Amino acid sequence: MNRFNPVLIVAAISMMTLVGCNKAEEPTAQTPPAGSSISDTAATPAATTTPGAAATPAATTSPGAAATPATTTEFQGLQGVVTNTKTAVETGDFTKAKGEFDKFEDLWSKVEDGVKAKSPTTYKEIEDKADEIKAGLKASTPNKPKLSTALGVLNKDVTSVAKP
């Protein structure tokens, strides 16, 4: 009996642990911290569903609508990346500019097919400018005026295709 008590205690603790770990987590709304930029929050969900609600998209669009809410968020993220990169270039912080512009490709890959279908010419211009900016930021001595101009053109192109 003396040997059975420790085994019984360990078994009871193990069972309580397993039962506690099996509890389902409820979804919670995530809000970005105050002062965060759109590029920091682009990957967070826009909304959560309430318990018992059907799993449907947060918003629906009619057929033929050019931009969905997710796409609009991606375009805002692209514009934020371009703006932040341009600010860093203008202050001469090319390391920060390169780090900021590295986010561009992730966001661009999510919308580029739609842009290509909507406006092949603008798509090519965006691709060319993005390549030019990447190369300019990798240079040993980046050309500040040339990068600022390219970023301005890129921002204009992204803004033009972001409109529905």
Side-chain angles (χ1 to χ4, degrees):
M1 190 67 164
N2 287 338
R3 289 185 178 173
F4 183 70
N5 284 341
V7 172
L8 185 63
I9 291 171
V10 169
I13 292 172
S14 297
M15 290 298 287
M16 287 190 291
T17 303
L18 289 173
V19 170
C21 290
N22 196 23
K23 183 180 178 195
E25 292 184 24
E26 293 291 324
T28 58
Q30 297 180 354
T31 57
S36 63
S37 69
I38 187 73
S39 60
D40 293 336
T41 60
T44 58
T48 59
T49 59
T50 58
T56 58
T60 58
T61 57
S62 60
T68 63
T71 305
T72 301
T73 301
E74 302 306 331
F75 281 119
Q76 290 172 342
L78 285 169
Q79 291 168 327
V81 166
V82 173
T83 301
N84 292 343
T85 304
K86 188 171 183 178
T87 301
V89 165
E90 289 172 352
T91 60
D93 190 351
F94 296 109
T95 304
K96 181 178 179 182
K98 185 180 180 317
E100 193 64 39
F101 199 73
D102 286 343
K103 300 174 191 174
F104 183 87
E105 190 59 41
D106 291 335
L107 294 167
W108 176 241
S109 67
K110 295 175 184 173
V111 296
E112 68 179 316
D113 291 337
V115 171
K116 191 174 189 179
K118 181 179 177 182
S119 177
T121 305
T122 306
Y123 168 82
K124 175 129 177 59
E125 290 173 6
I126 291 173
E127 286 283 324
D128 292 345
K129 284 299 171 196
D131 291 342
E132 179 184 331
I133 293 165
K134 277 188 238 175
L137 290 171
K138 287 181 182 177
S140 58
T141 54
N143 184 335
K144 188 173 171 180
K146 187 175 178 181
L147 282 169
S148 289
T149 302
L151 285 160
V153 171
L154 181 62
N155 193 35
K156 180 183 71 70
D157 289 341
V158 169
T159 302
S160 73
V161 293
K163 297 176 184 171

